[in-house]
Amino acid sequence: MGNSFILKGNICHTPRLGSLEIREHACIVCAEGTCRGIFDNISQIPEQYRALEVIDCGDGLVLPGMVDLHIHAPQYAFRGTGMDYELLKWLDRVTFPEEIRYADTGYAARAYEIFSNGLKKGATTRAVIFGTIHVRSTLILMDCMEKSGLISFVGKVNMDRHAPPELTEKSVSEAEADTRLFIEESRKRGYRRTKPIITPRFVPTCTGELMEALGRIRKEYDLPVQSHLSENPGEVELVAELEPEAAFYGDAYDRYGLFGREGNTVMAHGIYSTPEEMQRILDNGVWIAHCPASNMDLASGIAPVRRFLEKGIRVGLGTDVGGGFSDSIFRAVTDTIQVSNLYWRYIDRNAGPLKFAESLYLATKGGGAFFGKVGSFEDGYEFDAVVLDDSSLQSARPLTLGDRLERAVYLELDREGIVMKFAAGERIL
Ligand SMILES: [Zn+2]
């Protein structure tokens, strides 16, 4: 049987928001890429799986693969630089000049090879990714992602206003033709792990006509959608000016069928979502990709994640590279906790800080739901796992497994500490 085995180690996951479940030296059955239960020892494993190959991780920590719900592949090239701006200036001065380079497919091939190798080495097993407006370069990005073994959605970006001429679609009909070409071509390539996603960059760079066209294509091909929402005060003001008919920012997408309801939609940020917008996010089943590093770097603010969760809104985490400087979702987990502490302290004393187990849930099962049954080791979930060896972190005091897990995440052991990684049962590291 392909992708079938028993993995033995210290199994850690968060089957429910806020509840961390840890099983010491236990076994998970992975059958055809799907979890079939956690057992204390091999003798308890159901007969039909007992003869499977055993992968022994020793004293390693086994946790679900991390899900990055929001990352920009072309911005990986300048990560950790150009961080002294707010969103709209940062786009003009740092981001757009870099994205222009992706008209050159040779440059794109080099940059996307580095990007996909970077993600492969980290703890991320699934990602929702922005490319640029260029069809051929974005297909190169898909080739690289497919080769990495990660499972991803990749979008060709669309913009037809408020962008440099090199990044502005010549007309709505050309943008529509390009997006169709991108989808058709990606299907022809027969990827197993890489799928297209409809990607209006954000309302300031997309006219109503363009969004209407994208809404039509979304429906026709039944594809998910990714974009940005209520991120920065200057941006929110600009949207109100550009789209006076829209009741609120998210309504500008919803009018064109690009805000959940029928297909899955993930919107990054939602920092300035009004109560009406939050209600629409909930009603339409839109995911929020919470990207705390980017929100700090671009001085955007702090998203009311506790409020989202109390309301029942679906939330996952994103690195938002290069607004965020690191592609580590471990880092996003700890940033989420830290900004929630500040939100509670400075903004809303009724919105309690997020705990480690809650933030880890967002990074795994929370965002994983965008891909289906992903982000947990419960029966029936796709087997995405990261195995960590934390023996390099020495301590004189005895630590519980919970301590070790928390420490590994806080100290960002998602580089040198990863000894194995699986996505949908396939070993990719
Ligand atoms: Zn973004």
Side-chain angles (χ1 to χ4, degrees):
M1 274 200 286
N3 301 339
S4 299
F5 48 84
I6 296 162
L7 194 83
K8 216 171 154 219
N10 297 307
I11 316 292
C12 316
H13 69 154
T14 48
R16 283 167 307 286
L17 179 71
S19 81
L20 177 61
E21 191 180 299
I22 299 182
R23 304 273 294 268
E24 190 175 359
H25 297 303
C27 302
I28 314 179
V29 172
C30 170
E32 303 283 347
T34 303
C35 299
R36 288 295 169 219
I38 306 174
F39 305 91
D40 285 332
N41 52 57
I42 291 187
S43 64
Q44 289 179 358
I45 291 175
E47 187 75 47
Q48 75 262 39
Y49 303 127
R50 216 173 292 160
L52 290 174
E53 176 202 2
V54 177
I55 301 172
D56 194 343
C57 305
D59 198 32
L61 299 165
V62 182
L63 54 155
M66 299 292 120
V67 180
D68 191 339
L69 273 191
H70 186 72
I71 183 166
H72 297 259
Q75 298 174 18
Y76 195 74
F78 64 76
R79 69 197 186 285
T81 71
M83 307 302 286
D84 292 342
Y85 302 101
E86 274 199 63
L87 177 68
L88 298 178
K89 268 200 178 141
W90 173 79
L91 285 170
D92 281 337
R93 298 192 183 170
V94 183
T95 303
F96 290 154
E98 176 64 20
E99 293 194 9
I100 288 170
R101 291 174 190 265
Y102 290 76
D104 172 357
T105 51
Y107 183 79
R110 287 195 300 283
Y112 289 149
E113 175 88 19
I114 295 168
F115 168 77
S116 58
N117 283 337
L119 284 201
K120 184 173 172 165
K121 285 184 198 136
T124 300
T125 51
R126 312 237 172 185
V128 186
I129 305 171
F130 277 61
T132 59
I133 72 158
H134 312 100
V135 174
R136 290 202 304 150
S137 291
T138 308
L139 288 165
I140 291 170
L141 170 58
M142 292 184 100
D143 290 343
C144 290
M145 288 312 300
E146 181 73 10
K147 204 172 93 189
S148 75
L150 267 74
I151 295 170
S152 63
F153 288 106
V154 174
K156 172 216 148 1
V157 169
N158 285 272
M159 296 197 269
D160 70 340
R161 68 177 174 191
H162 294 288
E166 300 94 322
L167 294 179
T168 304
E169 314 277 4
K170 290 190 181 55
S171 65
V172 169
S173 58
E174 203 161 308
E176 183 168 355
D178 270 2
T179 294
R180 285 178 188 281
L181 175 68
F182 167 69
I183 296 164
E184 294 288 349
E185 187 58 34
S186 70
R187 292 198 163 174
K188 260 189 235 157
R189 295 188 186 195
Y191 301 124
R192 290 182 310 126
R193 301 162 92 76
T194 317
K195 299 211 159 59
I197 182 166
I198 298 290
T199 308
R201 181 178 211 111
F202 68 155
V203 171
T205 61
C206 299
T207 60
E209 297 75 50
L210 177 58
M211 290 206 282
E212 195 181 352
L214 294 176
R216 267 200 313 273
I217 299 173
R218 192 221 69 73
K219 201 177 166 85
E220 189 181 324
Y221 290 92
D222 190 20
L223 293 179
V225 175
Q226 65 176 347
S227 197
H228 298 89
L229 180 73
S230 302
E231 175 179 2
N232 188 284
E235 170 219 22
V236 172
E237 254 174 54
L238 180 59
V239 170
E241 250 172 61
L242 291 169
E243 299 295 332
E245 316 263 279
F248 44 84
Y249 193 150
D251 187 45
Y253 295 115
D254 202 16
R255 293 147 64 88
Y256 303 108
L258 296 169
F259 203 69
R261 288 180 203 268
E262 289 174 12
N264 284 353
T265 291
V266 57
M267 288 283 158
H269 312 303
I271 298 170
Y272 297 98
S273 291
T274 59
E276 295 73 32
E277 182 163 277
M278 279 168 71
Q279 189 60 44
R280 189 78 61 85
I281 291 169
L282 176 71
D283 292 344
N284 288 14
V286 170
W287 270 264
I288 290 291
H290 175 50
C291 309
S294 165
N295 298 160
M296 289 189 277
D297 294 336
L298 301 176
S300 295
I302 306 175
V305 174
R306 173 62 71 201
R307 294 295 184 214
F308 290 150
L309 295 173
E310 281 170 354
K311 210 169 165 53
I313 287 171
R314 298 155 154 179
V315 182
L317 301 188
T319 59
D320 197 16
V321 164
F325 53 81
S326 167
D327 62 351
S328 165
I329 290 281
F330 279 11
R331 172 94 197 208
V333 168
T334 54
D335 285 342
T336 292
I337 297 164
Q338 290 180 308
V339 300
S340 79
N341 288 336
L342 295 178
Y343 190 87
W344 169 75
R345 175 65 68 196
Y346 288 123
I347 299 173
D348 183 354
R349 292 303 291 260
N350 294 316
L354 269 79
K355 303 298 178 199
F356 175 70
E358 293 177 307
S359 194
L360 187 67
Y361 172 93
L362 300 184
T364 52
K365 196 172 170 178
F370 192 76
F371 290 83
K373 290 180 103 173
V374 170
S376 170
F377 294 129
E378 292 159 88
D379 190 13
Y381 273 66
E382 292 187 61
F383 186 82
D384 282 21
V386 170
V387 181
L388 297 174
D389 173 1
D390 64 343
S391 59
S392 64
L393 301 173
Q394 296 187 332
S395 174
R397 57 173 281 195
L399 296 170
T400 64
L401 282 170
D403 290 337
R404 284 173 53 195
L405 175 67
E406 189 175 354
R407 182 182 67 163
V409 173
Y410 268 92
L411 299 186
E412 292 176 58
L413 211 63
D414 53 350
R415 288 289 161 197
E416 75 278 16
I418 296 181
V419 289
M420 283 181 228
K421 179 165 147 177
F422 301 82
E426 237 165 74
R427 188 164 173 184
I428 56 179
L429 259 186

